[in-house]
Amino acid sequence: MIRQCFIIFGCLAFGELIVWLTGIAIPSSIIGMLLLAALLQMKAIKEEWVKGMSDFLISNMGFFFVPPGVALMLYLDIIKAEFVPIAVATVVSTILVLIVTGWTHQKLKR
Amino acid sequence: MELLQNNIILLTLTFGIFYAARQLQKWTGWIVLNPILLTIVSLILLLKVAGISYETYAHAGNFIEFWLKPAIVALGVPLYQHFGQIRRQFLPIFLSQLAGCIVGVASVVVIARLMGASRETIISLAPKSVTTPIAMEVCQTMGGIPSLTAAIVVSVGLFGAIFGFKVLEVWHIKNPYSQGLSIGTASHAVGTSRAMEKGDTYGAYASVGLILNGLLTALLAPLVLQILGI
């Protein structure tokens, strides 16, 4: 458990370090994700060294964003005021993403 | 209601409501009853009724929210697991992801701007297709409102999970790989869980879409916004 935490937090800390050093506009967690995948790929660490912790984190990922979602109560006014632009932009754009991604992949496959 | 301001009580309520909401979804099988959404709505109602400020709740909530960043790091494991599959089909996957990512960010921004949304709202909408932790981080980095993004991301996920496969079939996108990939790209984890129900192949490709679009959006969204002059 301690080793699992050390690896995952180590990757995250590396991301924080890169962001701090370069001021780059990429979340530290994304850099940590890439580092973790790279370390696994290079066999520098074994999958079972992080498996339990990573399964736990991924399967509960939805739950972790309940508190930031609750912060929505601070912005109810904005949503009420801009409900139509938000709803239309979101629905139309999501349909476009589905079609563009699926169509491009289907055409290019093989 | 002083007791309700206690961190342990607030955390217990959060765990309890989420558990109840998840059971409710299991029993009914209704994907609309998303436990994340239900828990957020119930907690907001409860806090409003009890007259507790968000700041008070956040003291407790921070203990949960803290795990978001490590959870994104953990996505490195499935990314590694799918690496062989992604490499074999690298070009079709990468190009369709790239197209989906740019269209997703650009279209939501352009439509929202045309309809008169404010700058903060537009930025908060930009990363709407990707999994919440990533979307919130991207939003924060660009100066939007992360909680607004969180709410929109959940709605987008629900939309994709409920209507995604219908939309794809209407447009004659029938290949299982393509379907899975675009569901994951457009509607992240909620869509991916729906794809998992349809079959392993759909699910595996949906998670590739979820991870890659998260990554591409983190890298490209600031650039797209800059080009569009936001």
Side-chain angles (χ1 to χ4, degrees):
Chain A
M1 194 62 190
I2 299 296
R3 179 164 66 183
Q4 302 198 4
C5 282
F6 176 68
I7 293 171
I8 288 175
F9 277 87
C11 290
L12 186 55
F14 176 81
E16 300 274 345
L17 181 71
I18 296 291
V19 171
W20 183 72
L21 284 176
T22 62
I24 199 170
I26 300 171
S28 57
S29 48
I30 299 279
I31 300 170
M33 179 215 288
L34 291 175
L35 176 66
L36 181 60
L39 289 174
L40 286 163
Q41 186 64 31
M42 295 184 311
K43 311 277 176 231
I45 53 173
K46 288 185 182 147
E47 202 177 321
E48 63 258 32
W49 291 1
V50 286
K51 197 79 184 93
M53 185 80 178
S54 67
D55 281 349
F56 169 77
L57 288 170
I58 292 171
S59 55
N60 292 296
M61 200 149 87
F63 177 69
F64 300 145
F65 72 74
V66 166
V70 173
L72 188 68
M73 64 192 277
L74 301 171
Y75 306 104
L76 291 176
D77 293 343
I78 300 184
I79 297 194
K80 218 192 284 173
E82 304 187 35
F83 183 75
V84 176
I86 292 175
V88 173
T90 305
V91 168
V92 174
S93 174
T94 301
I95 293 175
L96 284 175
V97 176
L98 282 166
I99 297 169
V100 168
T101 310
W103 187 85
T104 312
H105 185 258
Q106 191 163 271
K107 283 285 161 204
L108 294 177
K109 211 186 151 281
R110 272 181 291 162
Chain B
M1 290 286 204
E2 214 158 275
L3 185 65
L4 267 175
Q5 304 197 6
N6 179 307
N7 278 352
I8 299 296
I9 304 278
L10 286 170
L11 282 171
T12 307
L13 276 171
T14 310
F15 286 122
I17 294 173
F18 192 87
Y19 177 70
R22 207 173 51 183
Q23 291 304 112
L24 187 68
Q25 190 183 38
K26 260 188 206 153
W27 286 332
T28 58
W30 293 352
I31 200 127
V32 194
L33 292 179
N34 182 275
I36 303 154
L37 192 66
L38 277 184
T39 310
I40 292 171
V41 172
S42 316
L43 280 172
I44 291 179
L45 287 175
L46 188 77
L47 295 175
K48 288 259 179 203
V49 169
I52 298 169
S53 70
Y54 171 70
E55 284 69 24
T56 307
Y57 176 75
H59 285 300
N62 277 339
F63 290 102
I64 298 170
E65 187 178 348
F66 171 78
W67 293 97
L68 274 176
K69 284 185 178 194
I72 303 175
V73 174
L75 284 175
V77 176
L79 185 62
Y80 155 75
Q81 287 167 338
H82 296 305
F83 189 68
Q85 207 172 14
I86 299 171
R87 196 170 45 183
R88 272 194 301 280
Q89 284 209 42
F90 182 73
L91 213 57
I93 292 179
F94 181 75
L95 290 177
S96 56
Q97 296 281 282
L98 193 64
C101 170
I102 293 171
V103 166
V105 176
S107 64
V108 80
V109 165
V110 168
I111 296 168
R113 188 162 60 176
L114 287 177
M115 296 191 71
S118 68
R119 184 172 179 275
E120 270 188 326
T121 305
I122 294 175
I123 295 176
S124 310
L125 283 169
K128 60 144 192 15
S129 301
V130 302
T131 192
T132 315
I134 297 179
M136 289 177 70
E137 287 240 15
V138 171
C139 171
Q140 193 150 35
T141 322
M142 297 192 303
I145 309 165
S147 340
L148 184 57
T149 300
I152 291 161
V153 165
V154 177
S155 323
V156 167
L158 286 169
F159 181 84
I162 299 165
F163 302 108
F165 283 108
K166 288 228 167 65
V167 170
L168 290 169
E169 263 145 41
V170 169
W171 285 79
H172 303 289
I173 296 155
K174 294 193 167 135
N175 180 287
Y177 303 115
S178 315
Q179 284 195 346
L181 196 68
S182 50
I183 293 282
T185 305
S187 53
H188 57 91
V190 184
T192 302
S193 64
R194 169 78 188 95
M196 289 280 188
E197 287 169 19
K198 216 170 147 96
D200 271 0
T201 319
Y202 295 95
Y205 271 76
S207 50
V208 171
L210 149 78
I211 294 167
L212 282 185
N213 195 29
L215 219 53
L216 283 172
T217 302
L219 296 171
L220 296 178
L223 200 68
V224 174
L225 284 182
Q226 210 173 8
I227 292 169
L228 291 171
I230 300 296

